[in-house]
């Protein structure tokens, strides 16, 4: 996984008022913690942070103002309406250490024509080296038959990545397509036809 370099400034003012002032300058308040250090309060450029967070588990190289550290985003607060980043919690990591993260699960291909793909989980918890976190895991579902179940233990995880989630957790399964009910119009026409046939039969019998 490549690193995204982001300039960091130390932050000495706190509270809602200070945070609003930072955001008005198109910047983001952040906190760096981990490895027993005292939390470091930082200010980061808003646009660069927004772009970086588009990549799951992005590895960020914080540089500047006495800071030169690797970090992973562990908590992101966004504006519920506009979607911009309001605050970021960053976990300090070191090369070679293992970290637990959630990685996305995606599928490729189409299941058998008789089935419907039911993906119950879109991410899975794994452990990986901090600088080699996989971007995700891809499952080939091409031609899978109805009744097929893929559990977490069956995911094709990249080398060096180990499963943390319960191995028996169902990730996806193939269900049978529901039987289509006759259209209301067709049902009504059938009922009318049946009634007409009944009347014809009664008339014939009476003759």
């Amino acid at each position: 996984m490549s690193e995204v370099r982001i300039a960091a400034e130390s932050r000495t003012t706190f509270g809602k008022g200070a945070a609003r002032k930072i955001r008005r300058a198109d910047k983001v308040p952040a906190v760096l913690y981990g490895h027993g250090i005292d939390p470091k309060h930082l200010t980061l450029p808003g646009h660069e942070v927004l772009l970086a967070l588009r990549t799951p588990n992005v590895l960020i190289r914080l540089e500047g103002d006495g800071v030169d550290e690797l970090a992973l985003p562990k908590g992101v607060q966004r504006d519920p309406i506009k979607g911009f980043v309001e605050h970021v919690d960053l976990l300090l990591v070191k090369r070679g250490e293992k970290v637990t993260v959630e990685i996305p699960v995606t599928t490729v291909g189409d299941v058998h024509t008789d089935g419907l793909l039911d993906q119950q989980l879109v991410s899975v918890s794994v452990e990986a080296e901090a600088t080699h976190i996989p971007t995700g895991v891809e499952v080939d579902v091409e031609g899978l038959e109805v009744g097929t179940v893929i559990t977490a233990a069956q995911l094709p995880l990249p080398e060096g990545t180990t499963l943390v989630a319960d191995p028996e957790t169902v990730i996806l399964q193939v269900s049978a397509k529901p039987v289509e009910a006759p259209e209301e119009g067709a049902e009504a026409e059938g009922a009318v036809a049946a009634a007409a046939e009944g009347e014809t039969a009664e008339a014939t019998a009476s003759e």
Side-chain angles (χ1 to χ4, degrees):
M1 173 180 286
S2 60
E3 301 173 9
V4 175
R5 297 178 179 272
I6 294 181
E9 305 172 26
S10 294
R11 178 163 55 95
T12 56
T13 55
F14 310 100
K16 293 183 178 180
R20 282 195 294 267
K21 185 177 181 180
I22 291 172
R23 296 184 192 112
R24 282 197 296 268
D26 294 326
K27 297 182 179 181
V28 177
V31 175
L32 176 66
Y33 65 94
H35 284 272
I37 68 167
D38 292 332
K40 294 183 179 181
H41 298 270
L42 306 170
T43 298
L44 308 177
H47 183 65
E48 283 83 347
V49 170
L50 186 63
L51 292 178
L53 293 178
R54 291 179 178 177
T55 301
N57 302 308
V58 61
L59 188 64
I60 297 175
R61 166 69 70 177
L62 299 168
E63 296 179 325
D65 206 6
V67 179
D68 185 7
E69 304 285 4
L70 285 174
L72 284 172
K74 296 301 288 186
V76 180
Q77 297 177 19
R78 297 179 183 270
D79 181 272
I81 298 176
K82 298 181 179 179
F84 61 78
V85 179
E86 294 186 323
H87 187 276
V88 182
D89 287 335
L90 298 166
L91 176 65
L92 177 65
V93 296
K94 302 292 185 182
R95 293 187 183 278
E97 78 169 304
K98 296 279 189 175
V99 293
T100 299
V101 294
E102 291 278 329
I103 62 172
V105 178
T106 57
T107 61
V108 60
D110 297 308
V111 299
H112 192 276
T113 53
D114 292 336
L116 286 176
L117 181 64
D118 176 18
Q119 184 168 348
Q120 300 192 12
L121 291 178
V122 296
S123 65
V124 66
S125 182
V126 301
E127 186 181 66
E129 200 270 314
T131 57
H132 291 86
I133 298 174
T135 56
V137 56
E138 188 175 79
V139 182
D140 185 358
V141 300
E142 184 65 34
L144 292 186
E145 301 281 350
V146 173
T148 302
V149 175
I150 302 295
T151 65
Q154 295 171 288
L155 293 175
L157 297 178
E159 184 178 355
T161 302
T162 56
L163 185 68
V164 173
D166 183 347
E168 297 182 2
T169 300
V170 175
I171 303 298
L172 57 88
Q173 59 186 6
V174 183
S175 305
K177 286 184 177 179
V179 178
E180 294 185 4
E183 296 182 1
E184 292 184 3
E187 290 182 350
E189 289 177 3
V192 170
E197 288 178 2
E199 292 176 357
T200 301
E202 290 178 0
T204 302
S206 63
E207 291 176 356

